[in-house]
Each structure stands twice: as C-alpha cells, then as structure tokens.
Amino acid sequence: MKLSDYAKSLGVCYKTAWNMWKRGELDAYQLPSGTIIVKNNINSSQCKFVKVAIYCRVSSAENKANLESQAERLLNYCCAKGYSVVRVVKEVGSGVNDNRRKLVKLLQENDYDLIVCEHKDRLSRVGFNYLKVLLTQTNRDIEVVNLASEETDDLMEDFVSIITSFCARLYGIRRRTRKTEQIVKCLKEG
C-alpha cells in the first residue's frame, strides 16, 4: 500500500508516516519513481495513536488572524508528534470568561484522548488545574505545547476584563437594591 494510504488508514498526516519510514519503523521500500510502498498491513493492536482535540483561543475579534496561525502551529505540532487530530476548536473569548460555548462543548465530547493547546492560558486563565484533574477522571489529559509565560499585553487585556466584570456586577447589585427600596416604598404608600 502507498505511504499516503497507510497514513490515512492510521489516521495520521503523511509527514508522520514519512518520518516513521525515514526512521526505519516501517517495512517499506521506495520505487524508482519515488513512491514508497508499505509491505505490512496495519495491525490494530500495533497502533496506539493518540486522538487529539486542538483548542485555540484569542481574547478579541481583532486577533482573529492569530487564531488561524495558532491552529496551524498546533496542527504541525500534532503531526510531528504522530497524533491523530479529531477536531480543531477555534474560539474568540476572554480567558477569564467561563461561558465559552465551544470549550464547554469540547469538554462534553469524549472522542479524544488529549486536548492540545499552545499556552496554558489559551485554555483557561483560571482553573486550569481543575480542568486537568477532571479530564484525568475520564482518562483524558491536556498537553500544553509552550510553557513559557504569556505576553503582558494579553494579560492586561484580561485584567481589564476582570475589573469590568466586577464593576458590572457591583452596579447590578446596587440597581437591584434601589429597585427593592422603590417596591417597598410603593407598597407602604398603597
């Protein structure tokens, strides 16, 4: 079978199969035309490829170009590691927001073994370790590609979002209190 067909049947990208052949891990030979033929068929007990869900996130719509390049980098990373990518989830939303629909939907699915994200805070700025523990309970895990610290601009943007959120809640509480006072006043007068 051709190397490209072999890669498809394994659920990996062609580059991964090519690297396996270059390392001598496949019983294969190359034709004079350059086509690589794999001799042995796939034995399902032999291959234990990791099924991966890629998660990409940016904080605002103005960074959407970065979202695409982030996804491309993660696809290349997974390909190099020999992972089988099940889905790529791209989302625009604050890292401190716990109402990210695409992330929630991804966490509810169970057709993957591993979530791959570029930076820890791309998945969540708050509660990352809780997500990791909960996924471990379902025999899944999180792999962070780049453990370096994040840029300060993005951190400041999320910090401003937190302050804005708290202010909005505070003003909401004050408004509810005033409304309750007005209802009590109307009841006393009526």
Side-chain angles (χ1 to χ4, degrees):
M1 124 176 17
K2 288 173 55 176
L3 186 62
S4 59
D5 295 331
Y6 181 79
K8 285 179 189 172
S9 63
L10 284 179
V12 297
C13 67
Y14 179 79
K15 187 176 180 180
T16 299
W18 171 266
N19 288 335
M20 292 169 66
W21 177 70
K22 287 299 251 181
R23 290 189 302 257
E25 296 173 3
L26 300 177
D27 184 14
Y29 60 93
Q30 190 169 19
L31 297 175
S33 64
T35 303
I36 299 168
I37 304 296
V38 180
K39 291 181 188 175
N40 62 347
N41 289 335
I42 301 168
N43 180 355
S44 59
S45 64
Q46 268 181 305
C47 348
K48 293 190 179 177
F49 287 96
V50 178
K51 291 188 242 170
V52 169
I54 291 176
Y55 183 77
C56 308
R57 182 189 62 81
V58 291
S59 297
S60 62
E62 62 193 33
N63 296 329
K64 251 187 174 175
N66 185 28
L67 189 63
E68 296 302 322
S69 58
Q70 191 179 136
E72 186 65 31
R73 286 190 300 270
L74 290 174
L75 279 168
N76 290 334
Y77 173 82
C78 290
C79 186
K81 293 274 284 196
Y83 294 157
S84 175
V85 177
V86 175
R87 72 170 47 91
V88 178
V89 177
K90 300 173 191 171
E91 192 159 41
V92 176
S94 172
V96 295
N97 185 352
D98 64 347
N99 292 324
R100 287 185 273 140
R101 291 187 331 239
K102 292 182 180 181
L103 177 60
V104 169
K105 185 176 177 185
L106 174 64
L107 292 171
Q108 290 172 342
E109 299 292 329
N110 61 359
D111 61 345
Y112 60 90
D113 304 314
L114 186 67
I115 294 177
V116 175
C117 59
E118 191 169 35
H119 295 278
K120 184 174 153 180
D121 61 356
R122 294 297 92 194
L123 193 61
S124 178
R125 291 211 187 269
V126 180
F128 177 85
N129 290 328
Y130 296 125
L131 287 174
K132 195 163 177 66
V133 167
L134 290 172
L135 284 170
T136 304
Q137 297 298 314
T138 58
N139 296 321
R140 295 181 287 173
D141 202 2
I142 301 170
E143 185 171 326
V144 178
V145 174
N146 188 349
L147 294 171
S149 61
E150 191 64 27
E151 297 175 12
T152 57
D153 291 342
D154 205 25
L155 286 171
M156 286 304 295
E157 191 175 311
D158 283 339
F159 180 68
V160 170
S161 295
I162 290 171
I163 299 299
T164 304
S165 174
F166 284 139
C167 287
R169 287 182 183 175
L170 181 62
Y171 295 143
I173 290 170
R174 289 178 183 167
R175 185 174 29 244
R176 283 193 305 253
T177 303
R178 283 193 304 265
K179 194 170 188 174
T180 304
E181 289 170 355
Q182 289 173 352
I183 291 171
V184 169
K185 183 179 176 184
C186 285
L187 289 173
K188 284 182 180 179
E189 291 174 0

